[in-house]
Amino acid sequence: MFDFLAECELFMVLFYPCDQWLDYCINIHFVYPQMSILKYLGTSRHKLFAAGKYPKVLSFSTFHTTPNSSVELHSQEKEVVITLGSNVGDRLHNFKEALKLMKNSGINITRHACLYETAPAYVTDQPRFINSAVRVVTKLGPHELLSTLKRIEKDLGRTDGIRYGPRPIDLDILFYGKYKVRSDILTVPHERIWERPFVMAPLMDLLGSAIDSDTVAAWHSFAGHSGGLSGLWEDLGSESLIGEEGMYRVIPVAKGLLDWSRRTSVMGILNVTPDSFSDGGNFLSVESAVSQVRLMISEGADMIDIGAQSTRPMARKLISVDTFYSEVALEAVSNGAHLINDVSAGQLDSNMFKVMADLDVPYVAMHMRGDPSTMQNSENLKYDNVCKEISSELYSRVREAEMSGIPAWRIIIDPGIGFSKKTEHNLEILLGLPDIRKEIGTRSLSISHAPMLIGPSRKRFLGEICPRPAAERDPATIASVTAAYLLLVLIVKLPEYLDLCSNNSVSVVLRYVTSTASPKNHQINKENIHTQTLISAGGFICFFHLDIFTFASFSAHKTFVFGRQRRKREEKIRKFFDSTRKTLRKISFPFTDILAKVFFETHKISIQLPFFPHSFS
Ligand SMILES: Nc1ncnc2c1ncn2[C@@H]1O[C@H](COP(=O)(O)OP(=O)(O)OP(=O)(O)O)[C@@H](O)[C@H]1O
Ligand SMILES: Nc1nc2c(c(=O)[nH]1)N=C(CO)CN2
């Protein structure tokens, strides 16, 4: 799949050793006489340039040029990677302006990496940077591109300063198509990619775990590592570098940067609608809504999601607005909302992505088929593999959002529990969150790294599992979230559980979920085992004593113990509960906080919970 130009240059490299090649280019102004050469050589020479051991790489091209010669590539779009860095002024604003100016200069952004806040490298006595990268297509030649980027840097206030010193914006070219470029002022691939985690992390985000084009294959080959860029990134430390002092993955929100992976955030729901299934009509007056918000915050909610439209069939507290209308989103953000939660991921208002691109707030893109009135129609409930199809459909929505100008680093993904899903689908989703991430990751690592929101609270599928009206589905909600989070790595064979979980909602959900768990989820992964994890919520306590392969749930006066050596464990666990119960009653911090802490330990997911006012009363 070489394009013509790449073929030509490839063959020219074969003909001329490097030094001569430079002269040749300058003197003859790159008149492309290569068609005849091409014929002469035949395509078998390609393999001479097969790079290293990297499997899919077929070839790459080198050309040496100077900015003053007319040796520039024109007319064909090239795929390019550009990194962004900023540590002076309003760093996010600098990024936003840089992207805008790039777009206005014929540099079209197709993908965004995640956003990182990083410790300064080389010159360490300077403010922290934000770093990211974009994949773009452009017809600009490499030197034209460089001078365009330099002009943008200047327009954004960049002046000559110390090497590696503070700067409002830094724009570097990492890759330019499949080409290597070397001149006095430009070296591509950028020479210092390989040593810089703050460059490698965003670069990896721009790829998928699958190699989808020759250009991407060439980028892998440039790493000079048998495992390509992925191998090099692994050697540098890969994900273990993220979350350490040096480097956080963040989303910009409320004029700050939120490292969402530090702990699970809890989103309280406030429905200011008359007809919401869970709390409809309860908070219609301003006073009752405000006092409910206060209560939720005092109970540990990190953000409040205000639903102004029913979709029925903080140290820094954030306000999210649940809407699929662009006008509502615009108005809400102008009035101080920090987040827009769009259950349609842009499907119900063709202006939504455009409006969101201009706003600076995070955007929750949720998976749903149809609209709230048609989502449960039979045609919208057909799935062969629910997690795979959600991944693919949600990925398409997010890509469209990205192509419309919403940077991936502002997007939060949500599989849409209860929206165009049957009960069994919802349970598969709860169990399959990591699969969804992984599946999305084959196409885009940045989207697969996005914060994930799930909202099972009091939803109908819980009522179907444990027949209870919405207001009594809180324990089931907790159980479902717990199950989503824990069962993946924890549940082993539980032959005894069936006779034990008759009326207890937690157990019923767990039974449901375990019965749908795939064999791979029955593997115990020792590294993920926390010996004792306590989750307490609204009247029941789940106790996970995982090193002994036991799960127990405690409800009112009953204790259920599942797993090996049940009887022996039962006594021990009962004693544990007896002693802990008293302590737990005295604990003053709200249960949501406990949940958030537990979830943060292993799963990097946000949970959406209803409000539980009397956790320990
Ligand atoms: N791939 C490249 N991308 C951007 N600039 C490059 C590249 N290769 C060479 N240069 C040259 O490097 C010069 C210095 O660039 P810049 O001011 O961005 O350096 P820096 O940010 O301090 O260091 P670094 O480029 O290592 O991050 C530029 O003026 C440009 O001519
Ligand atoms: N963390 C971090 N450190 C840097 C950066 C940067 O973008 N991020 N850029 C530099 C100049 O190239 C020097 N040091």
Side-chain angles (χ1 to χ4, degrees):
M1 295 220 301
F2 303 121
D3 56 26
F4 168 67
L5 211 53
E7 296 250 0
C8 295
E9 285 165 356
L10 170 66
F11 287 111
M12 291 182 77
V13 172
L14 292 179
F15 260 119
Y16 295 91
C18 273
D19 298 344
Q20 292 167 32
W21 164 235
L22 179 62
D23 289 335
Y24 173 81
C25 286
I26 296 165
N27 294 341
I28 67 164
H29 293 272
F30 212 70
V31 288
Y32 304 121
Q34 296 86 0
M35 250 343 225
S36 52
I37 301 170
L38 209 144
K39 280 193 200 133
Y40 175 78
L41 277 171
T43 48
S44 63
R45 298 291 180 99
H46 281 163
K47 61 175 176 287
L48 292 177
F49 262 72
K53 285 187 246 158
Y54 207 72
K56 289 215 179 177
V57 177
L58 300 173
S59 77
F60 57 85
S61 311
T62 303
F63 71 95
H64 294 234
T65 174
T66 74
N68 298 325
S69 76
S70 53
V71 185
E72 285 290 308
L73 300 165
H74 286 285
S75 78
Q76 280 189 317
E77 287 200 319
K78 292 285 172 290
E79 223 184 341
V80 175
V81 175
I82 297 170
T83 52
L84 300 94
S86 168
N87 73 339
V88 169
D90 183 341
R91 301 172 300 172
L92 278 167
H93 178 77
N94 298 340
F95 268 33
K96 190 179 174 192
E97 287 304 302
L99 296 186
K100 200 155 83 190
L101 293 171
M102 280 192 226
K103 197 170 158 213
N104 295 342
S105 313
I107 303 169
N108 299 309
I109 293 153
T110 56
R111 284 178 182 234
H112 308 73
C114 299
L115 186 69
Y116 297 84
E117 192 180 43
T118 64
Y122 307 112
V123 177
T124 53
D125 183 20
Q126 58 176 324
R128 286 175 76 83
F129 278 82
I130 57 169
N131 285 106
S132 191
V134 285
R135 240 164 106 165
V136 307
V137 288
T138 185
K139 289 184 177 175
L140 298 175
H143 284 97
E144 281 175 317
L145 178 62
L146 178 68
S147 57
T148 305
L149 296 178
K150 291 284 144 206
R151 180 176 46 74
I152 294 172
E153 286 182 348
K154 214 163 159 214
D155 289 351
L156 293 177
R158 173 98 179 252
T159 50
D160 292 339
I162 54 166
R163 187 92 205 268
Y164 301 139
R167 70 256 337 255
I169 195 78
D170 190 23
L171 302 170
D172 289 342
I173 304 168
L174 296 194
F175 297 131
Y176 184 92
K178 292 189 278 188
Y179 301 87
K180 284 186 171 180
V181 183
R182 182 173 284 280
S183 76
D184 290 348
I185 58 164
L186 183 63
T187 304
V188 177
H190 192 287
E191 285 179 302
R192 285 165 292 282
I193 299 175
W194 329 113
E195 68 195 41
R196 297 177 165 177
F198 66 82
V199 170
M200 279 301 294
L203 171 58
M204 294 312 297
D205 293 341
L206 296 174
L207 312 173
S209 54
I211 297 170
D212 53 7
S213 73
D214 259 16
T215 302
V216 170
W219 297 345
H220 277 288
S221 78
F222 291 147
H225 189 290
S226 59
L229 288 165
S230 321
L232 192 87
W233 177 228
E234 278 302 315
D235 286 355
L236 267 183
S238 65
E239 281 295 305
S240 73
L241 298 174
I242 293 158
E244 297 299 318
E245 260 317 294
M247 192 164 181
Y248 304 114
R249 200 174 271 134
V250 291
I251 59 166
V253 59
K255 296 197 164 54
L257 297 173
L258 174 68
D259 175 3
W260 53 269
S261 70
R262 288 194 169 217
R263 69 176 184 83
T264 298
S265 304
V266 176
M267 179 187 258
I269 307 162
L270 178 77
N271 286 311
V272 288
T273 46
D275 59 345
S276 277
F277 74 96
S278 153
D279 57 357
N282 286 355
F283 309 111
L284 288 180
S285 78
V286 174
E287 292 77 33
S288 60
V290 168
S291 74
Q292 176 71 357
V293 167
R294 289 221 168 94
L295 210 52
M296 286 194 270
I297 289 172
S298 74
E299 286 279 314
D302 298 290
M303 39 187 122
I304 308 297
D305 189 49
I306 302 175
Q309 165 88 29
S310 169
T311 49
R312 186 171 51 125
M314 293 191 231
R316 183 171 44 212
K317 304 301 173 186
L318 303 174
I319 295 173
S320 155
V321 170
D322 183 344
T323 183
F324 43 76
Y325 294 122
S326 59
E327 277 178 48
V328 175
L330 184 60
E331 192 65 21
V333 173
S334 329
N335 282 287
H338 303 113
L339 233 103
I340 293 298
N341 176 15
D342 177 4
V343 296
S344 80
Q347 291 183 99
L348 299 180
D349 181 338
S350 55
N351 266 336
M352 188 54 132
F353 289 158
K354 226 164 51 204
V355 165
M356 283 308 304
D358 285 336
L359 301 175
D360 290 331
V361 301
Y363 175 68
V364 180
M366 196 197 78
H367 176 267
M368 170 174 63
R369 289 176 175 173
D371 60 40
S373 65
T374 61
M375 65 184 185
Q376 295 303 108
N377 291 356
S378 59
E379 75 270 16
N380 288 327
L381 294 173
K382 285 195 192 112
Y383 296 93
D384 287 328
N385 179 330
V386 70
C387 289
K388 247 190 159 138
E389 283 159 67
I390 287 173
S391 307
S392 150
E393 290 164 24
L394 191 55
Y395 172 81
S396 302
R397 299 309 306 150
V398 173
R399 286 291 296 136
E400 202 177 314
E402 216 184 350
M403 294 297 282
S404 312
I406 307 176
W409 62 68
R410 275 209 272 125
I411 293 174
I412 295 170
I413 51 175
D414 183 335
I417 291 174
F419 290 80
S420 58
K421 318 285 182 319
K422 290 185 193 166
T423 295
E424 66 259 33
H425 298 141
N426 293 317
L427 293 170
E428 271 180 61
I429 295 168
L430 286 174
L431 206 69
L433 297 174
D435 296 340
I436 293 176
R437 270 204 201 283
K438 203 162 160 207
E439 183 67 26
I440 291 178
T442 60
R443 300 172 222 203
S444 162
L445 289 174
S446 59
I447 302 174
S448 81
H449 290 317
M452 194 183 269
L453 179 75
I454 59 164
S457 58
R458 295 185 184 177
K459 282 185 177 165
R460 195 169 56 180
F461 77 104
L462 296 173
E464 276 175 21
I465 296 167
C466 48
R468 293 265 198 292
E472 292 172 26
R473 291 178 198 155
D474 295 349
T477 299
I478 303 296
S480 66
V481 176
T482 310
Y485 146 76
L486 285 172
L487 284 175
L488 292 161
V489 284
L490 304 177
I491 289 293
V492 279
K493 284 202 176 112
L494 302 173
E496 309 93 324
Y497 70 80
L498 280 171
D499 59 322
L500 288 169
C501 48
S502 48
N503 292 320
N504 180 279
S505 59
V506 185
S507 313
V508 176
V509 174
L510 287 171
R511 179 181 57 179
Y512 222 101
V513 179
T514 50
S515 65
T516 56
S518 66
K520 73 175 189 304
N521 294 322
H522 289 260
Q523 305 286 323
I524 277 279
N525 177 351
K526 285 258 180 210
E527 280 163 31
N528 285 319
I529 288 175
H530 299 256
T531 44
Q532 290 186 355
T533 307
L534 253 185
I535 299 176
S536 83
F540 72 84
I541 300 165
C542 301
F543 171 57
F544 296 86
H545 196 131
L546 305 167
D547 57 340
I548 55 168
F549 293 40
T550 302
F551 166 84
S553 89
F554 172 84
S555 175
H557 307 291
K558 288 184 212 148
T559 301
F560 301 121
V561 179
F562 307 137
R564 276 205 231 145
Q565 301 180 330
R566 195 179 90 221
R567 276 179 223 301
K568 210 167 130 194
R569 303 289 170 213
E570 244 172 15
E571 192 51 32
K572 193 171 160 192
I573 288 167
R574 213 182 305 279
K575 274 190 192 143
F576 171 84
F577 279 132
D578 283 346
S579 60
T580 335
R581 193 152 33 132
K582 289 190 198 99
T583 324
L584 279 171
R585 284 191 187 283
K586 286 189 213 138
I587 292 174
S588 58
F589 57 86
F591 84 90
T592 48
D593 205 31
I594 304 173
L595 274 177
K597 280 197 179 89
V598 173
F599 293 140
F600 138 67
E601 295 253 352
T602 47
H603 238 40
K604 308 301 184 195
I605 58 169
S606 297
I607 52 171
Q608 199 183 32
L609 291 172
F611 171 57
F612 302 87
H614 307 299
S615 324
F616 293 105
S617 56

